[in-house]
Amino acid sequence: MNTNYKITSYCHIKNSKVSLNGSVIFSEQLLDFPEFIKAAYKSQDTKYPKFFKMDNLSKLAFLAADILLKNENLNLEETNNIALVFSNKASSLDTDRSHQKAIQHKDNYFPSPAVFVYTLPNICLGEISIKYKLYTENSFFIFDHFNAKHLLTYTNSLLDTNKAESVLCGWVEFEGDHYEAFLYLVSNEGNIEHNKQNIITLYNT
Amino acid sequence: MNKTFVSYNNIVSSLGFNSETVVENIRNEVSGLKLIDNKNVLPEPFYSALINSEELEQAFLKLQPKEDFTRLEKMMITSLNEVIQSSKIELNERVGFIISTTKGNIDALDENNPFPIERAYLSELGKNIKEFFSFKNDAIVVSNACVSGILAIAIAKRYIQQNTYDHVFIVSGDVVTEFILSGFNSFQALSNVPCRPYDKNRTGINIGEVAASVLVTNNSKNLSNNAVEILGESSCNDANHISGPSRTGEGLYRSMFSALNQANLKTKDIDYISAHGTATMFNDEMEAIAINRLELQNVPMNSLKGYFGHTLGASGLLETIIGMHSLNNNILYASRGFETLGVSKPINVIKKTTPKELKTFLKTASGFGGCNTAVIFKKIKNNYV
């Protein structure tokens, strides 16, 4: 089995900052998440109106993925075999709470399909797949904490079995005021070896 | 690469608390779907297949629980316990553990639920099941909409082939809740009659509940008598829409194509398709298109939603277990609710339960987010005894 995969690039969105490969590319203090992510999105000049319909988790995951994939200069006319392997702790609980609020009291009952569809964590994978035409492997996992070992094993498995040419993987967490995205791309290209220690080091960057 | 098998299995459902009883009910075309009128969960009456609470309580108490568990946890523990016991596998470091679910204990978000809100976290569900059985490894929770149950089998195989584990136990489950029903109802996707997958007069889905469990293993000895080998698996996104299936069946077509390639099989080698068949207009049509694109339209197929309703994150695993029994019993089970073809392409829906020599089957599933999964299984009976 080939274990010489590389971490090609990585992106963080946390603490009012967006960074690509360790360099801050957008920063804006004093904004709450909806304002922050909108400002970050605008700073990237990604013209994609569907962004505004997404829930918070999808916006966070979409923007981090968009920054990384844009950096790859993909040819969208061709099929890009990039798998998506995402994880978090809170699943889609932020939107789950919105749906619960809409059904909690029978005298104020307003469930909506536009909200309900986002009560699944993998919807953000669908959003990214649509934008980048990724007809690829998608999986969403839930862990108590960032699990580098699992991401490493599963990503290697997809690459070893030629299920994907590269894998976009990581952690996208949104709950209450807390948000954190750490995504990285694994392929044969790059300078950082794809191993557990490097994943943990980059995660903590 | 080493071979990987799906072996011991259990179903806790409206049609019984072990796989054999459930399969016997399906053979007799008994459905678990009943009309439920409960204004606390949905303003209008609806069809659902619910697990009998008293029977569940009795079965669960036999396991001498020391704490309070939610309904879903009781279902999952009762189901998984039987599989662990019959496999006689020691739960050491080489044994992995996967939970597949879409919403877990989502009812804990309800103000009137006796459990704390923390219970709604899927990682809590993982911890509770892990601790009950004293697994050495943490649960890997997969939550990938309605493909979760079948995707879990692909994930288990991948872990075994990466040599992380020798055996992986999977438990899948979702419960029927107001949360789920109100959501599907807002999509106007619920049928007010028992669902009729692929039928001209289909009017939408019923939601049901089950817990299903299997052992996935690399050990060709000590297998259950209905064990199957996993020959190929693939999961592909539609890259089209988050809540509607692709009109060309793109992701499902690619998933089946790639699973066949990995299995090194041709379409003529597939004896039976256990399809998704939710009985919504768009899903069933999409499946018929994808099946025709791959020239699988003559292969006998069914949807089991007419027996259990759509059991969400458990459906793929539940239907895989029935497929294993189908192969072992050499019987094609009727696709309940189907009379007249109601999709635009020809497909061979099983109208009547029929004996037939079977060797391989293809299991498919599709879900919100545009996800699709296909896995191909082969009967191993007589080969490894």
Coordinates of all heavy atoms in Angstrom, one line a residue, chain A residues 146-154 196 199-200, chain B residues 137 159 164-165:
Chain A
F146 N -11.7 16.0 17.8 CA -11.0 15.9 16.5 C -10.3 14.6 16.5 O -9.5 14.3 17.4 CB -10.1 17.1 16.3 CG -9.3 17.0 15.0 CD1 -10.0 17.2 13.8 CD2 -8.0 16.6 15.0 CE1 -9.3 17.1 12.6 CE2 -7.3 16.5 13.8 CZ -7.9 16.8 12.6
N147 N -10.5 13.7 15.5 CA -10.0 12.4 15.5 C -9.1 12.2 14.3 O -9.5 11.7 13.2 CB -11.2 11.4 15.5 CG -10.7 10.0 15.7 OD1 -9.6 9.6 15.4 ND2 -11.7 9.2 16.3
A148 N -7.8 12.5 14.5 CA -6.8 12.5 13.4 C -6.6 11.0 12.9 O -6.5 10.8 11.7 CB -5.5 13.1 13.8
K149 N -6.6 10.1 13.8 CA -6.3 8.7 13.5 C -7.4 8.2 12.6 O -7.1 7.5 11.6 CB -6.3 7.9 14.8 CG -5.7 6.5 14.6 CD -5.7 5.8 16.0 CE -5.6 4.3 15.8 NZ -6.1 3.6 17.0
H150 N -8.7 8.5 12.9 CA -9.7 8.0 12.0 C -9.6 8.6 10.6 O -9.8 7.9 9.6 CB -11.1 8.3 12.6 CG -12.2 8.2 11.7 ND1 -12.7 7.0 11.3 CD2 -12.9 9.1 10.9 CE1 -13.7 7.1 10.4 NE2 -13.8 8.4 10.1
L151 N -9.5 9.9 10.6 CA -9.4 10.6 9.3 C -8.2 10.1 8.4 O -8.4 9.8 7.2 CB -9.2 12.1 9.5 CG -10.4 12.9 10.1 CD1 -10.0 14.3 10.4 CD2 -11.6 12.9 9.1
L152 N -7.1 9.8 9.1 CA -5.9 9.3 8.4 C -6.2 7.9 7.8 O -6.0 7.6 6.6 CB -4.8 9.1 9.4 CG -3.5 8.5 8.9 CD1 -2.8 9.4 7.9 CD2 -2.5 8.1 10.0
T153 N -6.8 7.0 8.6 CA -7.1 5.6 8.2 C -8.1 5.6 7.0 O -7.9 5.0 6.0 CB -7.7 4.8 9.3 OG1 -6.9 4.9 10.4 CG2 -7.9 3.4 8.9
Y154 N -9.2 6.4 7.2 CA -10.2 6.4 6.2 C -9.8 7.0 4.9 O -10.1 6.5 3.8 CB -11.5 7.1 6.7 CG -12.7 6.7 6.0 CD1 -13.2 5.4 6.1 CD2 -13.4 7.6 5.1 CE1 -14.3 5.0 5.3 CE2 -14.5 7.2 4.4 CZ -15.0 5.9 4.5 OH -16.1 5.5 3.8
K196 N -0.4 11.0 11.1 CA -1.2 11.5 12.2 C -0.6 12.7 12.9 O -1.3 13.7 13.2 CB -1.4 10.3 13.2 CG -2.3 10.6 14.4 CD -2.4 9.4 15.3 CE -2.9 9.9 16.7 NZ -2.8 8.8 17.7
I199 N -1.1 15.9 10.9 CA -2.5 16.3 10.9 C -2.8 17.0 12.2 O -3.5 18.1 12.2 CB -3.5 15.1 10.7 CG1 -3.3 14.4 9.3 CG2 -5.0 15.5 10.9 CD1 -4.0 13.1 9.2
I200 N -2.4 16.4 13.3 CA -2.6 17.1 14.6 C -1.9 18.4 14.7 O -2.5 19.4 15.2 CB -2.2 16.1 15.8 CG1 -3.1 14.9 15.8 CG2 -2.2 16.8 17.1 CD1 -2.6 13.8 16.7
Chain B
N137 N -12.7 0.0 21.8 CA -12.6 1.1 21.0 C -13.8 2.0 21.0 O -14.9 1.5 21.3 CB -12.3 0.7 19.5 CG -11.0 0.0 19.3 OD1 -10.0 0.7 19.5 ND2 -11.0 -1.3 19.1
Y159 N -12.0 -0.4 7.1 CA -11.2 -0.5 8.3 C -10.5 -1.8 8.4 O -9.4 -1.9 8.8 CB -12.1 -0.2 9.5 CG -12.1 1.2 10.0 CD1 -13.0 2.1 9.6 CD2 -11.1 1.6 10.8 CE1 -13.0 3.4 10.0 CE2 -11.0 2.9 11.2 CZ -11.9 3.8 10.8 OH -11.9 5.1 11.2
T164 N -6.9 -2.1 10.5 CA -7.1 -1.5 11.8 C -7.8 -2.5 12.7 O -7.6 -2.5 13.9 CB -8.0 -0.2 11.6 OG1 -7.4 0.6 10.7 CG2 -8.1 0.6 12.9
Y165 N -8.8 -3.2 12.2 CA -9.6 -4.2 12.9 C -9.6 -5.5 12.2 O -9.5 -5.6 11.0 CB -11.0 -3.7 13.1 CG -11.1 -2.3 13.8 CD1 -11.8 -1.3 13.2 CD2 -10.6 -2.1 15.0 CE1 -11.9 -0.1 13.8 CE2 -10.7 -0.9 15.7 CZ -11.4 0.2 15.0 OH -11.5 1.4 15.6

